[in-house]
Amino acid sequence: MSTARRAAVLGSPIAHSLSPVLHRAAYAELGLAHWSYDRFEVDEAALPGFVEGVDGSWAGLSLTMPLKRAILPLLDEISATAASVEAVNTVVLDEDGRRFGDNTDIPGMIAALRERGVEKVDSAAVLGAGATASSALAALAVICTGPVTAYVRSPQRGAEMRAWGERLAVDVRIADWADAARALQAPLVVATTPAGATDALAGAVPEAPGALFDVLYEPWPTALAAAWTARQGSVVGGLDLLVHQAVLQVEHMTGCVAAPLAAMRHAGERALAAR
């Protein structure tokens, strides 16, 4: 492909994003020498103007917080996956200027878990109830055959998680954050909380833990992930999720059948090690 094409990740704050590292590694491996991928500091107020200024040289956009829902009214069409959680992290731009929104976080979560051997579980626990938790529930709708217990800090958050469960056909049960240590007994624990929020739980990891999916990638390992590994439990990290969702983004934006997962992961690991 000799035609110059552009893509970028938008968000606020955005300086920490590893997306440029991953996408550029993919372009290099795929021989897309004329493709570029950048990052732009864009908040909700600036998003409409940025999107309107995108011309025909653009292939796509990656979106991080706080733009995953703000982008919705600016799109021509969204996938069923994105509609299920009302969140878009990927915009593909066609030659006619139409904007198609998708969510690669959800299949990225499923792929990251499957890579570590987690195909099906009969129950699960989710720590937290923020934006990432809804995507986690959508992924659990595919791989969890039984109830999902969400550990939350407020009744409002609990109501939100119940509503997402009803929408996604997941049997969501609510528990208080004060009892979060009980979550660690589940065959699959998904931690969707900010850095430091689960550190106090590290001492409660059981002798033979199941699988932990901690969506953070910096700092890594988290105290909980380190304790889990020490107990010989299976751990899926935020970099695993970031790479798998980026693989799908690259495939959508470039039209390539298979993005180079190994090269992208290696680039991400190197970038994190250098920080």
Side-chain angles (χ1 to χ4, degrees):
M1 297 181 186
S2 59
T3 303
R5 301 303 306 276
R6 300 182 67 186
V9 59
L10 315 180
S12 183
I14 200 62
H16 69 287
S17 176
L18 281 180
S19 291
V21 171
L22 303 182
H23 284 251
R24 291 168 186 169
Y27 297 165
E29 192 77 8
L30 294 168
L32 302 179
H34 297 278
W35 282 63
S36 64
Y37 189 100
D38 301 297
R39 63 165 69 90
F40 292 94
E41 182 82 17
V42 177
D43 61 15
E44 292 167 289
L47 182 61
F50 188 98
V51 172
E52 287 301 322
V54 167
D55 62 23
S57 67
W58 285 80
L61 301 170
S62 305
L63 301 164
T64 186
M65 298 304 293
L67 305 179
K68 294 183 180 183
R69 292 197 167 101
I71 191 67
L72 292 173
L74 306 176
L75 302 175
D76 297 298
E77 184 182 356
I78 65 172
S79 69
T81 301
S84 72
V85 291
E86 296 182 347
V88 163
N89 77 327
T90 307
V91 177
V92 178
L93 306 163
D94 67 18
E95 295 177 354
D96 298 323
R98 287 180 57 80
R99 306 163 190 154
F100 176 76
D102 199 3
N103 187 310
T104 64
D105 286 332
I106 296 166
M109 286 183 176
I110 295 169
L113 285 164
R114 285 178 173 165
E115 184 181 39
R116 305 290 178 170
V118 182
E119 295 275 353
K120 289 288 182 182
V121 292
D122 57 16
S123 64
V126 175
L127 299 173
T132 306
S134 61
S135 292
L137 284 181
L140 290 171
V142 177
I143 67 170
C144 184
T145 60
V148 175
T149 303
Y151 290 79
V152 302
R153 296 185 183 275
S154 70
Q156 179 183 353
R157 289 295 196 181
E160 291 171 358
M161 289 295 281
R162 278 200 189 92
W164 281 115
E166 291 173 3
R167 179 171 184 154
L168 296 164
V170 177
D171 178 9
V172 174
R173 303 174 184 183
I174 304 302
D176 192 276
W177 183 263
D179 297 321
R182 295 181 182 179
L184 309 189
Q185 302 291 332
L188 172 60
V189 180
V190 184
T192 69
T193 50
T198 61
D199 288 0
L201 299 176
V205 176
E207 286 292 334
L212 170 69
F213 191 167
D214 195 323
V215 302
L216 292 173
Y217 63 84
E218 193 174 21
W220 188 261
T222 63
L224 181 60
W228 209 274
T229 299
R231 296 286 193 184
Q232 306 301 311
S234 177
V235 175
V236 183
L239 183 60
D240 298 309
L241 167 59
L242 191 66
V243 170
H244 276 283
Q245 66 82 28
V247 161
L248 296 170
Q249 288 186 334
V250 169
E251 292 171 356
H252 292 341
M253 293 179 191
T254 66
C256 294
V257 174
L261 185 148
M264 294 169 70
R265 174 179 279 126
H266 183 57
E269 290 171 343
R270 285 187 302 170
L272 284 176
R275 290 186 175 181

